[in-house]
Amino acid sequence: TTDTVPKLATTSIEVPGPHHEPVTITVSGVAKGVGMIHPRMATMLSVVMTDASVAPAALHAMLSPIAQRTWNQTSVDGDTSTNDTVFLIASGASGIQIAAGTPEAVAFAAAVEAVARSLARQQAADGEGATTLITCQVSGAADDHDARAVARSIVSSQLLKAAVYGRDPNWGRVASGAGNARLPDAEMLVAAGMHRSEATARGGRLPEMDVDKMRISIAGTLVYAGGPLEFDRPAVAKAMDAKEVLIRVDLGIGGGSGEAFGCDLTEGYVKENAEYTT
């Protein structure tokens, strides 16, 4: 493994006990993998554990869309391999049963997603050779699926990754990444919760987009709104000199939103992989 730090996350929720007393349920996770990371997860392993009692079918139904919104929205280098696995394991040690369709199940799923999101962000931040975590948040899309596709395409762009490393507030790299976006294939859309007939029709299609309506912000500064804006380039470059660079894109079309996580592309990535062999 080329991880430089452990990836750990934990959270807890309170649910009613057998006599309506509050009982704490814990969700914790670990993960490894910081190279060959791209949608479909690739060379990464993660185990998320809970002391709740949850049926395996319910766990799978929760985990599948959560993985699409977190790990499958992460890209370090655009490469993949065969070794992608996420487990969600319930020990039942707390004695508390979480039944599907209940308010407790909704709260539990949110806790699982919080752990998954934290682990995915940690993996992106520790990407091979990386110095900066890139978070792209997309709003105003036709739906969440379109938003996630655009965010994923932006953080996957090698040109955008290099621009972030160079602290270059280049809105063109963001717009180009958005323009290259495609929805994932039908199977991944189904896993994200889309009905199969719609997924079959939309898989691999372009998200709905209009550059005249698009707004792009880099590190807190609006740099594009239907066209390039005047902005203090040195000040934005200085703001990009941080552990995390936030890119926001508003498509101006609908209410869909989504996010994706990546990292900058550095000489360290090339050096590490030039010297690595198996």
Side-chain angles (χ1 to χ4, degrees):
T1 179
T2 54
D3 295 64
T4 65
V5 293
K7 316 301 189 288
L8 310 166
T10 189
T11 191
S12 60
I13 59 171
E14 282 193 351
V15 299
H19 306 291
H20 306 290
E21 77 282 10
V23 177
T24 299
I25 297 296
T26 300
V27 179
S28 298
V30 296
K32 60 78 59 185
V34 295
M36 300 180 75
I37 303 290
H38 192 60
R40 289 190 183 274
M41 298 185 292
T43 313
M44 61 150 284
L45 302 171
S46 182
V47 180
V48 180
M49 301 155 282
T50 180
D51 55 2
S53 177
V54 192
L59 291 174
H60 184 271
M62 289 178 190
L63 182 61
S64 184
I66 287 171
Q68 304 309 312
R69 294 191 294 264
T70 56
W71 283 295
N72 277 333
Q73 289 294 111
T74 304
S75 182
V76 168
D77 52 14
D79 244 317
T80 61
S81 82
T82 58
N83 305 349
D84 57 328
T85 301
V86 174
F87 290 104
L88 176 54
I89 301 171
S91 70
S94 68
I96 300 298
Q97 176 76 37
I98 302 290
T102 63
E104 291 77 19
V106 173
F108 174 74
V112 172
E113 184 155 359
V115 168
R117 182 179 184 272
S118 175
L119 292 172
R121 283 171 54 81
Q122 290 177 57
Q123 288 173 273
D126 193 31
E128 290 179 343
T131 67
T132 303
L133 170 66
I134 303 171
T135 297
C136 181
Q137 297 175 343
V138 175
S139 59
D143 62 15
D144 292 354
H145 300 283
D146 272 16
R148 289 197 294 269
V150 172
R152 185 171 57 245
S153 181
I154 290 170
V155 302
S156 299
S157 165
Q158 302 286 33
L159 290 174
L160 183 278
K161 290 172 178 290
V164 171
Y165 178 50
R167 310 316 189 208
D168 177 14
N170 189 334
W171 62 263
R173 302 304 193 204
V174 180
S176 177
N180 285 328
R182 297 291 187 277
L183 271 78
D185 61 46
E187 290 303 318
M188 291 182 72
L189 291 173
V190 170
M194 186 181 289
H195 189 276
R196 183 167 291 278
S197 60
E198 183 183 1
T200 300
R202 293 182 63 187
R205 297 281 184 91
L206 291 166
E208 189 176 341
M209 199 176 308
D210 183 343
V211 293
D212 292 331
K213 297 179 179 178
M214 185 184 297
R215 295 166 63 89
I216 298 171
S217 296
I218 300 175
T221 297
L222 185 66
V223 297
Y224 181 96
L229 301 175
E230 293 292 331
F231 65 94
D232 187 339
R233 185 173 293 272
V236 178
K238 184 176 180 180
M240 294 174 70
D241 190 15
K243 289 295 185 182
E244 179 175 5
V245 170
L246 175 60
I247 296 170
R248 286 197 171 105
V249 178
D250 187 335
L251 297 180
I253 293 171
S257 63
E259 61 182 355
F261 313 110
C263 59
D264 56 348
L265 178 63
T266 76
E267 299 94 333
Y269 178 86
V270 176
K271 186 173 188 295
E272 186 158 342
N273 284 278
E275 295 177 352
Y276 178 85
T277 187
T278 58

